[in-house]
């Protein structure tokens, strides 16, 4: 999406965590959404996709969110509140987070050379700690 000024939107992430291991959660996917419907749809599509492979309890959690929780999530997003959807399957916890953000436009770099300091950039390796749903 081409932007020339800051734009409100939502930063969405999917994290998994092995509940039997002493490891940090792992970021599995991220998505930039430009509307509340687009953000909650990203989670809904993921949940519908994995629901056939889930155990009965986790599958029920999925369908409860799809029928009732999604409405609550959408209302919270429209109030610019962060949201979290979490389910547990066997020993794995899967968490989707949606954070209201302001996307900033970036300078067009196609024909421009980056400054030397750009080569010094080291990505942040610590995962974001997902917030718990209310």
């Amino acid at each position: 999406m081409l932007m020339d000024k800051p734009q409100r939107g939502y930063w969405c992430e999917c994290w998994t965590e092995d509940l039997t291991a002493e490891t940090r959660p792992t970021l599995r996917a991220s998505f930039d959404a430009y509307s509340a419907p687009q953000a909650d749809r990203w989670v809904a599509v993921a949940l519908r996709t994995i629901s056939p492979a889930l155990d009965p309890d986790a599958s029920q959690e999925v369908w409860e969110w799809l029928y009732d929780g999604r409405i609550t999530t959408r209302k919270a997003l429209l109030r610019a509140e962060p949201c979290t959807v979490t389910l547990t399957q066997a020993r794995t916890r899967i968490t989707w987070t949606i954070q209201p953000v302001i996307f900033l436009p970036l300078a067009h770099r196609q024909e421009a050379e980056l400054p030397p300091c750009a080569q010094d950039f080291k990505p942040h390796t610590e995962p974001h700690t997902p917030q718990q749903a209310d």
Side-chain angles (χ1 to χ4, degrees), residues 24-39:
R24 294 184 170 275
T26 302
L27 178 64
R28 297 295 177 180
S30 59
F31 178 69
D32 51 328
Y34 292 90
S35 68
Q38 188 180 29

Side-chain angles (χ1 to χ4, degrees), residues 38-102:
Q38 188 180 29
D40 78 57
R41 186 171 37 252
W42 184 72
V43 176
V45 167
L47 289 172
R48 282 192 192 104
T49 301
I50 68 171
S51 69
L54 299 175
D55 65 41
D57 290 340
S59 184
Q60 182 170 344
E61 286 180 59
V62 164
W63 291 102
E64 285 174 4
W65 182 83
L66 287 168
Y67 285 114
D68 296 324
R70 188 173 180 187
I71 296 166
T72 303
T73 297
R74 174 85 57 96
K75 287 179 180 178
L77 293 175
L78 291 170
R79 292 189 304 267
E81 297 172 1
C83 296
T84 302
V85 178
T86 302
L87 71 92
T88 302
Q89 163 70 20
R91 60 189 186 123
T92 302
R93 177 181 298 136
I94 307 169
T95 303
W96 289 265
T97 61
I98 306 171
Q99 300 285 331
V101 296
I102 296 176

